[in-house]
Amino acid sequence: MPFSEDKLKLVYTVKELCRVCYTCVRECPAKAIKIVNGQAEVISERCIGCGNCIKVCSQDAKVFYQSRIEVKSLLQSDSKVAAIVAPSFPAEFTEIKDYRKFVGMVRALGFDHVFEVAFGADLVAKKYKELLEDRSGKDYISSDCPAIVSYIRYYHPDLVKNLAPVISPMVAMARVVKKLLGPDVKIVFVGPCIAKKAESKEVDEALTFRELRGMFELAELKHEEIESSDFDPPHAGRGAIFPVSRGLIQTVNIFDDVVEGNVIVAEGRIGFQEAIKEFESDSIKGQHLELLCCEGCIMGPGMTPGGKRFERRTYISSYVQQKLNEENQDDWEKSLQEFADIDTHADFNPLDRRKQLPSESEVSKILASMGKFSNRDHLNCGACGYDTCLEHAYAIVEGLAEVEMCLPYTIEEMHASLKDLAVSNEKLAKVQQALKQSEKLAHMGQLSAGIAHELNNPLGVVMMYSNILLDEYAPDDPIRQDIELIASQAERCKKIVSGLLNFARKNQVKLELINLKKLAEDSIKSVVIPNNIKTAVVCKASNCEAQLDYEQMMQVLTNLNKNAIEAMPNGGLLAVEVDENESDVIFNVIDTGTGIPEENMEKLYTPFFTTKGIGKGTGLGLATTYGIVKMHKGRIEVESNTDRLKGPTGTTFRIILPREEGEDVER
Ligand code: ADP
Ligand code: MG
């Protein structure tokens, strides 16, 4: 038994199929669709069962409550079961030219009786006629569309008093059937509507035409093979025109001229909402509203999708035409007389499901989180499914929507994150490169340390003995020159070994408070400056003192100065700059020399890498520098330009040393 005041789940989402287009949000007049984690969910207590979302979902992700199983078990039970068929059936079963074949098929499914709801419409029309003729100043809203009735009860409860106090044709027909067959007969409504499934307890089940079609297929019923059979009496008259828009008016047959008459017909989700708003604001006083959620019941969500509206209308009109030609007016009026005592009065009560408007501060906070700070930022593009940014913000506060649904904002965010991602990728690549480099150098360091250590002792012996020998020969002895060469070359080897030891970071650092500017000046003084080279020492740091190993740092700056001078054979400027940031002291050794080609950048600190001729460069200057800087837990950066077209050529070596002894991390 599906009917209940507290709403059965009339419509729900197949999550796997939902593709986040927000079309259902836009099309839902009740704003009964909530987006959670990018997926649409129907909120049953807000849903009016109009089925708009089903019609617009291109992915078939919205489905409605199916009653086929319940109907089947009714048919298999001992009870008598009557089908009451909505008058829109000719617009659905267009392939069946003779409606009697259709009725035959319904009977073949096992229904004991098949009635026309259109007769119920005739009865209801009578009531409407009375009501509209004697309105005693009251404006009415038709109450034949259950989705409209729910919409007004939930969202415009103040207008419930204006709902025409008339039962729907379906309920009227159910009462007719009960009167005819007794209270035990089971009644199954068949029609184009989903909202009907929850409309009234007086009907046992409600099938859509789509479900009925499915049942025909399952039972392999073919209309060509079915015996014709007419509807059970009482037969309908003009009520059969009910499912097309203005149908009620035509049925009532009193207000044919809509322009001059005081009936406004509004259909479809936009039309009916607009009409209600205007009606509410009293701008259309003295008018009766005929409202339909769909564009006529013939476009209901229980119809097979894809049908054409005006074509469907023609099917209904020609069916009605045929009926009116065949039918006996006297019989029809007799039937109306027979069932004139059916109570068609209905009472509707409000069921307020409106949400409280959120506070202004809450809304502005949400708007700000979508980058909307002033009215100019409200694009009202509708991409989120809400007509305005403000409505979207309300929905977010109510927990129905998400910030990400704002397309312009999300696109902007995405662009920003793409940019961030590119920047971090670039940083990552640089860090990776540096890591690879320092790993390689660390391996080399180990090897050099081994070699240097092993060479140190024998070298010491060579130096000591060559000096002893020197003492043994007179100053003018010719052999003395050879021994002096041995001693000086051994001295050179010693320097190389000490360079390697520095590179391998095997030396101790003796920290003392030193003046950085003085260190820079001393370093310039310790190298021979050719005439064509100008020098400068600049101190930009506010604190010009730091704890460093004077000797070793002196060696670093001297090495860098030498390289700078060697890179400026045609003269230029050598500047040593002392600088600082929050945590480090910085030396910039700047030259206007030839610059370092890109392909050499990676090899600079490798021991014995030199571009200088044999006997000129040892390729140990930067390796030593690197080792010493690492011993100080600092790092080296180089910027260089070799391309005149890009700007002045030259190189800057930047030595960055922590003021405080930090952790011994590889930099
Ligand atoms: P060496 O000076 O003995 O060649 P270094 O280790 O000091 O060894 O330098 C290695 C190489 O780095 C140099 O041969 C040179 O190609 C390059 N180099 C270093 N500093 C500079 C600079 N300021 N300008 C141009 N090239 C440089
Ligand atoms: Mg050098």
Side-chain angles (χ1 to χ4, degrees), residues 559 563 566 612 621:
N559 287 351
N563 283 347
E566 282 158 8
K612 296 161 193 171

CSV table of all heavy atoms in Angstrom, one decimal, residues 559 563 566 612 621, ligand 2:
chain,number,residue,atom,x,y,z
A,559,ASN,N,88.5,31.6,-3.8
A,559,ASN,CA,88.2,30.8,-4.9
A,559,ASN,C,87.2,31.4,-5.9
A,559,ASN,O,87.4,31.4,-7.1
A,559,ASN,CB,87.6,29.4,-4.5
A,559,ASN,CG,88.7,28.5,-3.9
A,559,ASN,OD1,89.9,28.8,-3.9
A,559,ASN,ND2,88.2,27.4,-3.3
A,563,ASN,N,88.0,32.8,-9.7
A,563,ASN,CA,87.2,32.4,-10.9
A,563,ASN,C,86.6,33.6,-11.6
A,563,ASN,O,86.6,33.6,-12.9
A,563,ASN,CB,86.0,31.5,-10.5
A,563,ASN,CG,86.5,30.0,-10.2
A,563,ASN,OD1,87.6,29.7,-10.5
A,563,ASN,ND2,85.7,29.3,-9.5
A,566,GLU,N,89.2,35.3,-13.6
A,566,GLU,CA,89.6,34.5,-14.8
A,566,GLU,C,88.5,34.5,-15.9
A,566,GLU,O,88.8,34.2,-17.0
A,566,GLU,CB,89.9,33.0,-14.3
A,566,GLU,CG,91.3,32.9,-13.7
A,566,GLU,CD,91.5,31.7,-12.8
A,566,GLU,OE1,90.6,30.8,-12.8
A,566,GLU,OE2,92.5,31.6,-12.2
A,612,LYS,N,89.4,25.4,-18.0
A,612,LYS,CA,90.7,26.1,-18.3
A,612,LYS,C,91.8,25.2,-18.8
A,612,LYS,O,91.7,24.0,-18.5
A,612,LYS,CB,91.1,26.8,-17.0
A,612,LYS,CG,90.1,27.9,-16.6
A,612,LYS,CD,90.1,28.3,-15.2
A,612,LYS,CE,88.8,29.1,-14.9
A,612,LYS,NZ,88.7,29.4,-13.5
A,621,GLY,N,88.6,24.4,-7.3
A,621,GLY,CA,88.1,25.6,-6.6
A,621,GLY,C,86.7,25.5,-6.1
A,621,GLY,O,86.4,25.7,-4.9
B,2,MG,MG,89.0,28.1,-9.8
